[in-house]
Amino acid sequence: MSRPQCSRCQRPASHCLCPLIPSLTSTTRVLILQHPSETAHALNTARLAALGLRSAELLVGEMVSLPADEHDNYLLFPGVDAIPLESLAKSEAPLRLIVPDGTWKKARKMLHLNPALATLPRVSLPPGLVSRYRLRKAPAPGALSTLEAIVTALSMLEGEGRFDGLLRPFDALIESQIAAMGADTYQRNHGHDG
């Protein structure tokens, strides 16, 4: 028998995160392109970002259509031709960050399947960022969850600390996962203090 689930945050009703999810607005639009396999992931940080940020939209699918409007679209994805995100901070034009959500392999596949994405100018976060996501081994130094990448990007573009509220449900989710596995199991498998 399945446990009752919150229809909004999709967590078990007993662990609903909705009271912690803010309702924030950014000038920068955010379009999250989520790989279908990520929707059932226990730590669905893209969904948390879309719920907590009124200026965000979440599209699920490997094939997507980009909105046609007055926004300058930038793909938040590293690459040799990526420009540092902070270079957009003084932009007068309305911006939209397009953020792929999935493993690196799945995100690259989405770019391959959507030529319009691959032609967008790329922006990247600064090197050396540290993830708060203590339940997984980062695939590379500086790798962040989708939610952390969005918060970091918006903070750089619109002001440090303005979007930190988006991290509250994320932190609570991680803490509840650690509590569920038990401190000993967490220490054994993840080797962090905490």
Side-chain angles (χ1 to χ4, degrees), residues 6-190:
C6 172
S7 60
R8 183 169 179 253
C9 70
Q10 297 184 346
R11 299 291 305 152
S14 60
H15 291 86
C16 175
L17 295 171
C18 291
L20 297 174
I21 298 172
S23 183
L24 303 175
T25 303
S26 62
T27 305
T28 305
R29 306 290 301 172
V30 177
L31 176 59
I32 306 162
L33 305 177
Q34 187 174 58
H35 190 277
S37 67
E38 295 294 310
T39 59
H41 196 284
L43 298 169
N44 187 341
T45 71
R47 182 166 187 78
L48 291 177
L51 289 173
L53 192 61
R54 287 192 297 263
S55 42
E57 181 182 359
L58 177 67
L59 294 179
V60 178
E62 285 188 310
M63 302 287 289
V64 292
S65 296
L66 296 180
D69 59 21
E70 78 286 358
H71 287 79
D72 287 345
N73 292 313
Y74 290 90
L75 184 67
L76 184 60
F77 199 79
V80 291
D81 55 347
I83 59 173
L85 181 72
E86 57 266 23
S87 66
L88 300 180
K90 306 257 188 292
S91 176
E92 297 294 321
L95 301 177
R96 178 184 289 111
L97 289 180
I98 299 178
V99 184
D101 176 57
T103 63
W104 288 106
K105 183 178 179 179
K106 290 172 186 167
R108 281 194 280 280
K109 182 179 180 188
M110 288 167 63
L111 297 185
H112 178 72
L113 293 173
N114 295 276
L117 284 179
T119 63
L120 292 175
R122 289 188 188 194
V123 291
S124 62
L125 297 174
L129 298 171
V130 178
S131 177
R132 299 154 78 113
Y133 199 165
R134 298 172 290 155
L135 293 174
R136 71 166 189 188
K137 295 212 180 340
L144 304 178
S145 69
T146 299
L147 176 64
E148 291 172 302
I150 290 169
V151 169
T152 301
L154 291 177
S155 293
M156 292 175 71
L157 293 173
E158 299 188 24
E160 198 64 42
R162 284 194 51 215
F163 303 96
D164 288 354
L166 290 168
L167 296 170
R168 277 197 319 265
F170 176 67
D171 289 339
L173 185 57
I174 291 169
E175 290 302 322
S176 71
Q177 295 282 334
I178 291 170
M181 74 172 60
D184 290 343
T185 302
Y186 173 72
Q187 285 295 331
R188 200 167 42 251
N189 293 316
H190 300 282

